[in-house]
Amino acid sequence: MTAFVRHAIPDVIEVTPPKYGDHRGFFSEVFKRSAFEAEGIDIDWIQDNQSFSAQVGTVRGLHFQVPPVAQDKLVRVLRGAVYDVALDIRKGSPTYGQHVGVTLSADKWNQLLVPIGFAHCFMTIEPDTEVLYKVSGPYSKDHEGAIRWNDPALGIDWPDVGAEPTLSEKDVDAPLFADFDSPFIYEG
């Protein structure tokens, strides 16, 4: 049975599907719509994306897309491990500016549901890490946004991986949280 763990921000959910192994290897239903619906989660996933990061300390985020193409994400690691963060950017939310951080790994077989209204980021903590994630909206360059991943005001305790972070230019130049005007409204 798939395990659903709600964290300090209940909208961010860690999901661990069952994994059945024998002498041949293993089998797992990594996503089962009926299990999610039984938890009150009804998301129409439209696309799967995969990324590969060779270096430990590769950072991707804090990213989001604004309406009308905002995205829910269901993130899992195929190989390696990441420290995965979901930051609440919904104006009026009691947890606005707070985050949930979870280590996702191929070994732990866990996933993180990052709902619309959250910025998402991960840092690789093992080399040659592959991440697969489902999204509920199409990519749109005109609707993408970012917040500085290591803004001290956010208080994210990033792991010390013993290497300088590897970032895209977009992520290096992302605005600080104090300079960010969120288009997302908490609907309680």
Side-chain angles (χ1 to χ4, degrees), residues 61-113:
L62 287 154
H63 299 155
F64 58 91
Q65 282 193 181
V66 300
V69 290
Q71 297 175 321
D72 299 285
K73 294 180 180 178
L74 182 61
V75 184
R76 72 188 201 95
V77 173
L78 301 175
R79 178 172 50 156
V82 302
Y83 185 69
D84 203 70
V85 170
L87 173 71
D88 189 346
I89 57 173
R90 302 168 298 170
K91 286 182 182 173
S93 167
T95 56
Y96 181 74
Q98 297 177 30
H99 69 279
V100 168
V102 175
T103 298
L104 301 179
S105 72
D107 290 340
K108 290 175 71 174
W109 206 247
N110 58 340
Q111 305 172 43
L112 193 66
L113 176 63

XYZ file of all heavy atoms in Angstrom, residues 61-113:
412
model
N 16.602 25.289 -9.118
C 15.493 25.934 -8.439
C 15.942 27.161 -7.692
O 17.096 27.554 -7.784
N 15.067 27.736 -6.970
C 13.674 27.491 -6.638
C 12.794 27.958 -7.801
O 12.693 29.156 -8.061
C 13.270 28.275 -5.384
C 13.803 27.791 -4.052
C 13.875 28.921 -3.036
C 12.866 26.727 -3.523
N 12.137 27.039 -8.479
C 11.366 27.335 -9.682
C 9.860 27.194 -9.452
O 9.427 26.422 -8.604
C 11.753 26.376 -10.816
C 13.182 26.463 -11.219
N 13.841 25.420 -11.817
C 14.095 27.464 -11.116
C 15.093 25.772 -12.075
N 15.269 26.999 -11.648
N 9.109 27.909 -10.266
C 7.651 27.793 -10.289
C 7.171 28.330 -11.625
O 7.930 28.987 -12.354
C 7.008 28.589 -9.137
C 7.362 30.047 -9.157
C 6.564 30.964 -9.835
C 8.501 30.514 -8.512
C 6.902 32.300 -9.871
C 8.847 31.856 -8.544
C 8.041 32.754 -9.224
N 5.935 28.044 -11.952
C 5.257 28.658 -13.090
C 3.981 29.306 -12.589
O 3.314 28.764 -11.712
C 4.924 27.620 -14.178
C 6.108 27.265 -15.016
C 5.766 26.501 -16.279
O 6.664 26.171 -16.988
N 4.511 26.204 -16.582
N 3.655 30.460 -13.156
C 2.475 31.208 -12.729
C 1.263 30.791 -13.558
O 1.409 30.256 -14.656
C 2.714 32.727 -12.832
C 3.872 33.152 -11.949
C 2.952 33.166 -14.267
N 0.063 31.036 -13.033
C -1.147 30.758 -13.803
C -1.122 31.547 -15.115
O -0.532 32.627 -15.150
C -2.270 31.245 -12.892
C -1.674 31.197 -11.505
C -0.218 31.518 -11.693
N -1.704 31.033 -16.160
C -2.619 29.891 -16.206
C -1.943 28.540 -16.416
O -2.627 27.547 -16.629
C -3.514 30.228 -17.404
C -2.588 30.927 -18.343
C -1.660 31.730 -17.461
N -0.617 28.494 -16.357
C 0.084 27.218 -16.558
C 0.909 26.830 -15.329
O 1.982 26.247 -15.442
C 0.957 27.227 -17.845
C 0.084 27.219 -19.079
C 1.909 28.408 -17.851
N 0.392 27.165 -14.147
C 1.051 26.732 -12.917
C 1.082 25.208 -12.886
O 0.252 24.545 -13.504
C 0.305 27.286 -11.707
N 2.064 24.662 -12.156
C 2.268 23.212 -12.176
C 2.320 22.608 -10.780
O 3.040 23.091 -9.918
C 3.603 22.868 -12.848
C 3.730 23.262 -14.282
C 5.130 22.992 -14.813
O 6.124 23.193 -14.121
N 5.207 22.529 -16.048
N 1.558 21.522 -10.597
C 1.827 20.588 -9.511
C 2.991 19.738 -10.002
O 3.135 19.503 -11.207
C 0.642 19.645 -9.279
C -0.640 20.357 -8.900
O -0.740 20.802 -7.753
O -1.538 20.448 -9.764
N 3.815 19.217 -9.066
C 4.911 18.327 -9.443
C 4.909 17.121 -8.502
O 4.647 17.256 -7.311
C 6.270 19.024 -9.324
C 6.458 20.161 -10.303
C 7.816 20.805 -10.139
C 7.996 21.953 -11.123
N 9.296 22.617 -10.945
N 5.216 15.969 -9.067
C 5.448 14.763 -8.270
C 6.855 14.303 -8.625
O 7.108 13.836 -9.731
C 4.410 13.676 -8.586
C 4.537 12.394 -7.786
C 4.370 12.643 -6.280
C 3.527 11.348 -8.260
N 7.777 14.466 -7.681
C 9.211 14.323 -7.936
C 9.726 13.023 -7.325
O 9.436 12.719 -6.165
C 9.979 15.513 -7.315
C 11.468 15.448 -7.646
C 9.376 16.847 -7.740
N 10.513 12.287 -8.120
C 11.152 11.085 -7.595
C 12.533 10.934 -8.205
O 12.826 11.482 -9.264
C 10.310 9.846 -7.814
C 10.206 9.345 -9.203
C 9.163 8.203 -9.287
N 9.348 7.362 -10.429
C 10.031 6.220 -10.449
N 10.586 5.770 -9.360
N 10.151 5.519 -11.551
N 13.395 10.199 -7.525
C 14.774 9.989 -7.958
C 14.912 8.575 -8.509
O 14.553 7.605 -7.838
C 15.751 10.229 -6.783
C 17.176 9.851 -7.167
C 15.690 11.682 -6.340
N 15.426 8.486 -9.724
C 15.660 7.183 -10.354
C 17.024 6.617 -9.990
O 17.193 5.401 -9.872
C 15.568 7.307 -11.881
C 14.255 7.804 -12.443
C 14.362 7.983 -13.949
C 13.134 6.847 -12.096
N 18.017 7.517 -9.858
C 19.378 7.109 -9.505
C 19.993 8.232 -8.698
O 19.859 9.401 -9.050
C 20.187 6.867 -10.785
C 21.623 6.492 -10.524
C 22.369 6.071 -11.764
N 22.226 7.017 -12.863
C 23.100 7.132 -13.855
N 24.148 6.352 -13.908
N 22.899 8.003 -14.819
N 20.663 7.888 -7.595
C 21.302 8.891 -6.755
C 20.380 9.408 -5.673
O 19.495 8.695 -5.183
N 20.578 10.698 -5.306
C 19.797 11.293 -4.225
C 19.837 12.815 -4.328
O 20.818 13.387 -4.819
C 20.326 10.853 -2.863
N 18.775 13.445 -3.839
C 18.683 14.901 -3.790
C 18.112 15.325 -2.444
O 17.419 14.554 -1.770
C 17.783 15.481 -4.917
C 18.291 15.089 -6.295
C 16.325 15.088 -4.751
N 18.412 16.573 -2.079
C 17.671 17.227 -1.018
C 16.652 18.099 -1.737
O 17.012 18.990 -2.519
C 18.588 18.060 -0.117
C 17.852 18.655 1.051
C 17.364 17.827 2.070
C 17.631 20.011 1.146
C 16.671 18.362 3.142
C 16.943 20.552 2.224
C 16.464 19.720 3.222
O 15.787 20.248 4.282
N 15.372 17.820 -1.528
C 14.281 18.417 -2.282
C 13.503 19.378 -1.390
O 13.174 19.027 -0.244
C 13.366 17.298 -2.798
C 12.568 17.710 -4.000
O 13.170 17.869 -5.071
O 11.343 17.853 -3.873
N 13.212 20.571 -1.908
C 12.565 21.613 -1.108
C 11.328 22.143 -1.826
O 11.364 22.411 -3.026
C 13.549 22.776 -0.840
C 12.839 23.971 -0.221
C 14.685 22.307 0.062
N 10.246 22.314 -1.063
C 9.028 22.979 -1.523
C 8.811 24.194 -0.622
O 8.693 24.050 0.596
C 7.832 22.032 -1.442
N 8.782 25.392 -1.223
C 8.639 26.656 -0.508
C 7.250 27.226 -0.763
O 6.855 27.438 -1.914
C 9.706 27.649 -0.999
C 9.592 29.082 -0.482
C 9.954 29.156 0.997
C 10.471 30.017 -1.314
N 6.506 27.493 0.304
C 5.150 28.043 0.191
C 5.229 29.500 -0.259
O 5.797 30.351 0.436
C 4.437 27.938 1.542
C 2.956 28.279 1.469
O 2.507 28.840 0.456
O 2.244 27.975 2.446
N 4.663 29.780 -1.443
C 4.658 31.157 -1.973
C 3.225 31.655 -2.193
O 2.979 32.524 -3.027
C 5.516 31.279 -3.252
C 5.052 30.318 -4.344
C 6.995 31.085 -2.928
C 5.756 30.497 -5.691
N 2.281 31.131 -1.398
C 0.875 31.534 -1.498
C 0.606 32.674 -0.522
O 0.643 32.477 0.696
C -0.039 30.350 -1.186
C 0.188 29.147 -2.089
C -0.518 27.925 -1.576
N 0.020 27.567 -0.247
C -0.527 26.655 0.552
N -1.609 25.994 0.169
N 0.017 26.397 1.729
N 0.350 33.881 -1.059
C 0.039 35.033 -0.201
C -1.146 34.694 0.698
O -2.134 34.120 0.244
C -0.325 36.247 -1.042
C 0.829 36.915 -1.720
C 0.336 38.135 -2.486
C 1.451 38.818 -3.213
N 0.941 39.899 -4.085
N -1.037 35.054 1.967
C -2.108 34.806 2.921
C -2.040 33.445 3.583
O -2.805 33.167 4.511
N -1.158 32.590 3.140
C -1.020 31.264 3.749
C -0.389 31.389 5.132
O 0.535 32.190 5.321
C -0.131 30.380 2.865
O 0.266 29.211 3.561
N -0.843 30.590 6.100
C -0.207 30.635 7.420
C 1.243 30.145 7.379
O 1.998 30.386 8.319
C -1.080 29.715 8.284
C -1.897 28.914 7.333
C -1.988 29.680 6.051
N 1.636 29.486 6.289
C 3.015 29.001 6.165
C 3.766 29.707 5.023
O 4.763 29.195 4.524
C 3.036 27.466 5.959
O 2.235 27.122 4.827
C 2.527 26.745 7.198
N 3.293 30.891 4.623
C 3.941 31.666 3.560
C 5.415 31.887 3.900
O 5.754 32.303 5.004
C 3.241 33.008 3.386
C 3.817 33.870 2.293
C 3.599 33.572 0.951
C 4.594 34.985 2.602
C 4.116 34.372 -0.061
C 5.123 35.784 1.593
C 4.893 35.465 0.267
O 5.418 36.247 -0.732
N 6.285 31.578 2.954
C 7.727 31.752 3.159
C 8.384 30.616 3.914
O 9.597 30.634 4.121
N 7.604 29.622 4.326
C 8.168 28.446 4.998
C 8.327 27.318 3.982
O 7.747 27.351 2.907
C 7.275 28.017 6.152
C 7.163 29.072 7.244
C 6.213 28.647 8.348
O 6.048 27.467 8.642
N 5.561 29.619 8.967
N 9.104 26.328 4.357
C 9.399 25.255 3.412
C 9.384 23.889 4.077
O 9.428 23.774 5.304
C 10.768 25.484 2.769
C 11.903 25.317 3.739
N 12.284 26.305 4.612
C 12.700 24.256 3.992
C 13.280 25.871 5.355
N 13.558 24.625 5.011
N 9.322 22.886 3.231
C 9.521 21.494 3.627
C 10.722 21.005 2.839
O 10.815 21.241 1.634
C 8.279 20.631 3.295
C 8.580 19.151 3.437
C 7.103 21.038 4.158
N 11.637 20.335 3.507
C 12.799 19.743 2.852
C 12.849 18.253 3.146
O 12.706 17.849 4.294
N 13.034 17.446 2.109
C 13.031 15.988 2.231
C 14.161 15.424 1.369
O 14.351 15.871 0.234
C 11.683 15.399 1.750
C 11.695 13.886 1.758
C 10.534 15.921 2.587
N 14.868 14.452 1.892
C 15.837 13.738 1.076
C 15.089 12.682 0.278
O 14.413 11.826 0.850
C 16.930 13.080 1.936
O 17.645 14.106 2.630
C 17.900 12.283 1.087
N 15.200 12.785 -1.047
C 14.628 11.792 -1.947
C 15.785 10.985 -2.531
O 16.804 11.559 -2.906
C 13.868 12.459 -3.094
C 12.713 13.384 -2.749
C 12.112 13.975 -4.030
C 11.647 12.656 -1.948
N 15.601 9.670 -2.593
C 16.672 8.857 -3.152
C 16.114 7.625 -3.834
O 14.996 7.179 -3.536
C 17.658 8.437 -2.060
O 17.089 7.466 -1.211
N 16.913 7.084 -4.723
C 16.546 5.830 -5.373
C 16.429 4.723 -4.323
O 15.552 3.863 -4.417
C 17.575 5.467 -6.440
N 17.282 4.759 -3.309
C 17.240 3.734 -2.259
C 15.984 3.838 -1.394
O 15.378 2.821 -1.057
C 18.478 3.833 -1.359
C 19.754 3.403 -2.062
O 19.672 2.674 -3.082
O 20.838 3.803 -1.598
N 15.599 5.053 -1.032
C 14.410 5.236 -0.170
C 13.109 5.031 -0.936
O 12.071 4.804 -0.341
C 14.422 6.627 0.466
C 15.498 6.809 1.529
C 15.566 8.225 2.049
C 14.372 8.567 2.902
N 14.486 9.900 3.525
N 13.154 5.195 -2.280
C 11.999 4.956 -3.146
C 10.853 5.920 -2.867
O 9.702 5.651 -3.150
C 11.543 3.497 -3.009
C 10.834 2.976 -4.207
C 9.505 2.613 -4.276
C 11.357 2.763 -5.506
N 9.196 2.189 -5.551
C 10.328 2.264 -6.327
C 12.611 2.957 -6.080
C 10.513 1.947 -7.667
C 12.798 2.639 -7.409
C 11.751 2.140 -8.179
N 11.186 7.091 -2.319
C 10.147 8.053 -1.960
C 10.015 9.132 -3.024
O 10.878 9.295 -3.896
C 10.421 8.654 -0.585
C 11.779 9.340 -0.503
O 12.685 9.095 -1.303
N 11.947 10.184 0.488
N 8.906 9.862 -2.961
C 8.585 10.926 -3.895
C 8.075 12.122 -3.093
O 7.698 11.975 -1.930
C 7.485 10.473 -4.853
C 7.793 9.194 -5.592
C 6.594 8.676 -6.385
O 5.892 9.440 -7.030
N 6.366 7.370 -6.340
N 8.051 13.296 -3.725
C 7.501 14.465 -3.058
C 6.488 15.133 -3.974
O 6.798 15.431 -5.132
C 8.600 15.469 -2.681
C 8.165 16.566 -1.711
C 7.811 15.968 -0.343
C 9.244 17.622 -1.554
N 5.285 15.345 -3.427
C 4.243 16.084 -4.133
C 4.406 17.564 -3.786
O 4.290 17.950 -2.622
C 2.858 15.594 -3.716
C 1.690 16.364 -4.319
C 1.664 16.225 -5.840
C 0.377 15.900 -3.722
